[in-house]
Amino acid sequence: MRTLFFGTSDFAVPSLRVLAERTAVAGVVTQPDRPSGRGQRVTPSPVKAAAIELGLPVYQPSTLRALQPELAGDAFDLFALASYGRLIPDWLLELPRLGSLNVHPSLLPAYRGATPIQTALRNGERATGVTVMLMDAGMDTGDVVLQEPVTIDPDEDYGHLHDRLATIGAALLGRALELAANGRLPTHPQTGEPTYTHPLGKDDLSIDWSWEPRRIVDAVRAFSPLPGARAQLEGEIVKVLRAHVEDGRVEIDELIAPNRGRMSGAAYLRGRTSHER
């Protein structure tokens, strides 16, 4: 089966590896290299790094229209996509013989859009899932091929849940590839009321200490370890990485303080008390 992969972030890497194990991947399309980290060093996407390791051709078009001459005349059986970051236009979706599969970390139609994992955690959900869908021109609106529900641990943070869903999504993509190869790709329309997520802004990361304790802890889990929920504490803005509810109040387990790095909540408060003496 001749395929093309679209993906950018860490979430997509396990799916790329499964696709490369089971099909002939003609190329990998990913976002252009971008500045990253404190030094703003230009860095390839995790998918580009994995593609190079696998010896696969990499395409980084500034626009998907720029990809058209590269693909003209090529015959593809299937496209696969995970966390690519752009909508795929109709002319691309029409190229593969069997269609295009998208790995999405939610039980669609719940949490369509850019931040399904963070939004589910921030909303205090106790279950989510992964969907492999057959793409259409809409945003996460295609027919469902396979779905797998996943229970969320009450203490689980974004990093842990992200990695679990990426692994489950890759396995689900592998099952879909087997079905497609056998000509038995099942599809059914999404059912239920859709909900939507949006890209994160600075305001989304802020904690308000007037919230209910459980809401605060859920917000901390949703953005840990990166980018970290922001909160005002002892007169400065800190990143809260871990917290829990104890006796009806929020206890901070770990944070990052300005110019002092990662530390426990107790060490932070001891330092502030010592400084004030």
Side-chain angles (χ1 to χ4, degrees), residues 36-238:
S36 177
R38 285 190 173 183
Q40 290 295 284
R41 182 178 176 184
V42 176
T43 305
S45 74
V47 163
K48 179 181 178 180
I52 292 172
E53 178 194 325
L54 293 166
L56 299 172
V58 175
Y59 301 99
Q60 294 180 282
S62 54
T63 67
L64 286 173
R65 179 60 66 184
L67 199 60
Q68 200 163 20
E70 297 277 357
L71 304 182
D74 273 1
F76 295 99
D77 295 303
L78 187 138
F79 288 172
L81 183 146
S83 186
Y84 174 55
R86 289 179 181 167
L87 284 175
I88 305 298
D90 286 346
W91 69 266
L92 260 175
L93 294 176
E94 291 169 358
L95 291 181
R97 179 176 61 88
L98 298 173
S100 300
L101 299 176
N102 183 8
V103 182
H104 186 81
S106 81
L107 293 177
L108 292 171
Y111 295 121
R112 291 173 175 170
T115 54
I117 304 175
Q118 297 96 327
T119 307
L121 287 168
R122 190 172 57 175
N123 288 350
E125 300 284 7
R126 292 294 173 259
T128 182
V130 180
T131 301
V132 172
M133 67 171 180
L134 192 62
M135 295 179 68
D136 61 17
M139 185 181 68
D140 301 329
T141 55
D143 285 353
V144 172
V145 176
L146 295 169
Q147 280 189 323
E148 183 165 327
V150 174
T151 300
I152 303 174
D153 185 279
D155 297 324
E156 191 166 23
D157 67 16
Y158 167 73
H160 191 268
L161 181 60
H162 168 281
D163 291 352
R164 278 210 301 141
L165 296 180
T167 301
I168 292 168
L172 213 58
L173 175 62
R175 285 167 51 193
L177 292 173
E178 291 175 8
L179 294 170
N182 294 327
R184 296 183 291 108
L185 199 61
T187 60
H188 59 271
Q190 297 182 24
T191 57
E193 189 67 26
T195 56
Y196 296 89
T197 68
H198 60 81
L200 297 175
K202 284 187 177 179
D203 289 345
D204 295 310
L205 307 180
S206 298
I207 289 173
D208 185 333
W209 292 116
S210 70
W211 293 347
E212 291 292 323
R214 188 66 231 181
R215 181 181 176 187
I216 293 172
V217 170
D218 288 338
V220 170
R221 294 164 58 225
F223 306 122
S224 180
L226 291 171
R230 272 67 164 174
Q232 183 152 4
L233 198 63
E234 301 291 326
E236 60 185 359
I237 302 296
V238 302

Side-chain angles (χ1 to χ4, degrees), residues 26-40:
V28 174
V29 185
T30 188
Q31 298 276 358
D33 299 356
R34 300 192 191 286
S36 177
R38 285 190 173 183
Q40 290 295 284

Side-chain angles (χ1 to χ4, degrees), residues 254-269:
E254 190 175 21
L255 57 77
I256 297 177
N259 303 316
R260 278 161 289 167
R262 186 182 292 244
M263 64 178 69
S264 71
Y268 175 81
L269 291 176

